[in-house]
Amino acid sequence: MRGKVLVILCAVIMISATISITIFLGSKGLQSFIKNGVSLIEFITSTHWNPTNKANPEYGALPFIFGSFAVTLLSALVAAPLGIGGAIFMTEIAPSWGRKILQPVIELLVGIPSVVYGFIGLTVLVPFIREHVGGLGFSLLSGTIVLSIMILPTITTIATDAMSSLPKSLREGSYALGATRWQTIRKVLIPAALPSLMTAIVLGMSRAFGEALAVQMVIGNVRNLPSSILDASATLTTIITLNMGHTTYGSVENNTLWSMGFILLVMSFAFILLIRYLSSRRKL
């Protein structure tokens, strides 16, 4: 009985914390539009961000919204094939020794703090891109590469579990019909695990969308909309972390930063809903 009460108490605390954070962030995020009169349309469509201009302050967050989506989608495009390929290698190609080699590597990547990823990117990746690819080095490309490495363990781990959970009868049935290993992987196993593989990608994108410190160190943090992948950019998270300590609590600029945080919260809910939808499509 005591254990049941304790478990229920834990659940109530978790639900209360989630609801409280949502209400608090929602109320703070909407203040700039309701209390301060900032136009919502201008906020999400304008490319001009200059809140410190007293004569004509501008609150266009489109460059930061675009930067968040750009690095998230690009990093998913890079990390998804690598993660799913690694999962197939561990479960189908070399199941006996593949995990013994790759699993510790993946666990090591998970344990590295994000600031270390950013420091490595700042020290190695940014100069390399500046000297061998072009631009200043601080760019969407740098942010994409750093985020790709950071979300790779998430995608690989979930994809590996998804491939491992497939019943052996699928493989045995495919081999009995004369299919080769690659035909079995491509035409039977991947389609069967596709909802779970998509869930892995979405979870990786969710982490990429909310990452701040490592991206902030390599992306450049400028107010302009990038015209190429080699241009410097900024994301919602990097602008929040850079400016939150330099604004007065309750000011218009401070409230617009809360509005960016509210957008991050809405996107988190969108990712969760997408994951729930993909999970409901699992047939095995």
Side-chain angles (χ1 to χ4, degrees):
M1 185 62 184
R2 187 178 299 175
K4 184 178 179 180
V5 172
L6 183 62
V7 172
I8 292 175
L9 181 62
C10 292
V12 170
I13 291 174
M14 290 174 61
I15 294 171
S16 301
T18 304
I19 293 175
S20 300
I21 291 173
T22 303
I23 293 175
F24 176 77
L25 195 50
S27 63
K28 295 294 296 181
L30 294 175
Q31 277 193 6
S32 58
F33 310 118
I34 298 174
K35 181 180 177 182
N36 304 122
V38 175
S39 169
L40 176 61
I41 302 300
E42 177 194 352
F43 186 74
I44 61 176
T45 60
S46 175
T47 59
H48 302 290
W49 173 261
N50 191 9
T52 56
N53 186 346
K54 295 182 179 179
N56 184 27
E58 297 172 304
Y59 303 102
L62 179 60
F64 318 135
I65 297 173
F66 175 84
S68 293
F69 278 100
V71 292
T72 300
L73 293 174
L74 290 174
S75 61
L77 286 176
V78 174
L82 294 176
I84 294 174
I88 293 173
F89 176 79
M90 284 192 288
T91 57
E92 305 300 329
I93 306 300
S96 60
W97 54 271
R99 280 200 175 192
K100 293 180 181 178
I101 297 176
L102 272 183
Q103 196 71 37
V105 174
I106 294 169
E107 291 171 353
L108 182 63
L109 289 176
V110 173
I112 296 175
S114 60
V115 66
V116 175
Y117 282 110
F119 196 35
I120 294 173
L122 181 65
T123 307
V124 179
L125 185 62
V126 170
F128 179 84
I129 291 177
R130 181 169 56 236
E131 295 173 7
H132 299 282
V133 182
L136 297 174
F138 294 98
S139 59
L140 274 177
L141 180 60
S142 300
T144 298
I145 294 174
V146 169
L147 276 181
S148 300
I149 298 172
M150 292 184 68
I151 67 174
L152 188 59
T154 302
I155 297 177
T156 306
T157 302
I158 299 175
T160 301
D161 293 340
M163 297 297 293
S164 301
S165 64
L166 294 176
K168 290 184 179 179
S169 59
L170 281 177
R171 299 173 179 83
E172 294 170 352
S174 179
Y175 292 144
L177 293 173
T180 64
R181 175 188 288 180
W182 286 108
Q183 288 172 332
T184 300
I185 292 173
R186 185 164 57 91
K187 297 185 177 181
V188 177
L189 300 182
I190 290 180
L194 190 58
S196 298
L197 298 180
M198 293 300 296
T199 300
I201 296 172
V202 173
L203 277 172
M205 291 174 64
S206 178
R207 187 191 175 187
F209 200 83
E211 177 57 38
L213 187 55
V215 182
Q216 177 187 322
M217 296 172 75
V218 300
I219 201 170
N221 307 301
V222 297
R223 302 176 180 181
N224 303 325
L225 200 63
S227 58
S228 81
I229 196 171
L230 295 178
D231 287 347
S233 183
T235 66
L236 293 169
T237 52
T238 62
I239 293 300
I240 291 173
T241 54
L242 281 173
N243 293 284
M244 187 60 79
H246 306 290
T247 60
T248 304
Y249 184 80
S251 65
V252 182
E253 184 180 1
N254 185 269
N255 287 339
T256 54
L257 296 179
W258 282 109
S259 299
M260 294 183 191
F262 184 60
I263 291 177
L264 291 172
L265 180 68
V266 171
M267 284 307 303
S268 297
F269 285 158
F271 282 125
I272 291 171
L273 289 175
L274 184 57
I275 291 169
R276 300 284 294 179
Y277 170 73
L278 292 172
S279 300
S280 67
R281 295 183 60 196
R282 291 176 186 167
K283 298 178 181 178
L284 297 173

